[in-house]
Amino acid sequence: MIDLNADLGEGFGRWRLTDDEQLLTVVTSANVACGFHAGDPVTMRRVCALAAERGVTIGAQVSYRDLAGFGRRAMDVPPGELAAEVAYQIGALDVFARAAGARVAYVKPHGALYNRIVHDEEQARAVVDGVLLAGPLPVLGLPGSRFLELAGEAGLTAVPEAFADRAYTERGTLVPRGQEGAVVDDPEAVVERSLVLAGSGRVVSHTGVPVAVRARSLCLHGDTPGAVDLARRVRRRLEEAGVRVEAFA
């Protein structure tokens, strides 16, 4: 059994990055941008309504306050401030989720924040505190990360996820996007990696070393060329292989 999640609502004003309507016909969980790295109230409301209509679970994709950098720039935010901003983003999205007859069912950090809390104890604890402040919710994160460890210790459901279209290091972390080969852009390779991750929980690192990546959810990035067709191929091949595609929350 595997969940398919995608980052959605990553637009602002008249600008749209992701094909939310089509991706919501494929994925089982929607990580909706909450306005800090992308998204705005109108976009958040629209995506929540579409997700609720199609039975897709809604998650809050929280980020550093970095609209210009798409949340991918390293930032030093005091722990108390970060916790409050995480809770603020969750609460803002939950208004629109509830208006659509649903609710925010989980939280996933984005970009630089996601990668930093793999190892940064202080920032990871601040995100956990923010999730607790907004209401105990499951969290998505990298397997073996300090974030998931602290979340579990705090009583939150810690859900590990994997990326079929991102290169991994031998330590099981993601290769930074600035490095060559960080993103896997061969569609067939992404499909095959998805099957292996869902089946055996392993992936080959960028240096050729097999790495264990046990995950309950598989992320399909919505901002890559041909994202919708690729997502459909991944889901079809998983189901053909006997894998049940189902939301974790």
Side-chain angles (χ1 to χ4, degrees), residues 102-166:
R103 62 183 177 87
V104 169
Y106 67 94
V107 178
K108 176 182 174 179
H110 165 81
L113 180 60
Y114 184 99
N115 290 313
R116 181 161 182 175
I117 59 179
V118 170
H119 300 298
D120 190 312
E121 172 98 12
E122 186 176 66
Q123 295 279 283
R125 191 176 298 279
V127 175
V128 170
D129 288 344
V131 176
L132 289 169
L133 183 61
L137 292 168
V139 295
L140 267 179
L142 202 69
S145 65
R146 192 69 185 114
F147 172 54
L148 289 192
E149 291 174 358
L150 290 171
E153 291 171 5
L156 302 177
T157 300
V159 183
E161 72 167 337
F163 298 81
D165 61 354
R166 290 294 309 278

Side-chain angles (χ1 to χ4, degrees), residues 9-12 15 33-40 44 63 66-67 70-71:
E10 291 185 323
F12 190 82
W15 173 71
C34 299
F36 272 38
H37 77 281
D40 57 36
M44 292 159 67
S63 170
D66 181 28
L67 199 58
F70 198 61

Side-chain angles (χ1 to χ4, degrees), residues 17 32-33 51 63-64 74 87 104 134 140 159 164 168 193 200 208 223 237:
L17 178 63
V32 184
S63 170
Y64 285 127
V104 169
L140 267 179
V159 183
Y168 280 81
R193 284 160 65 93
S200 63
D223 60 346
R237 290 283 292 278

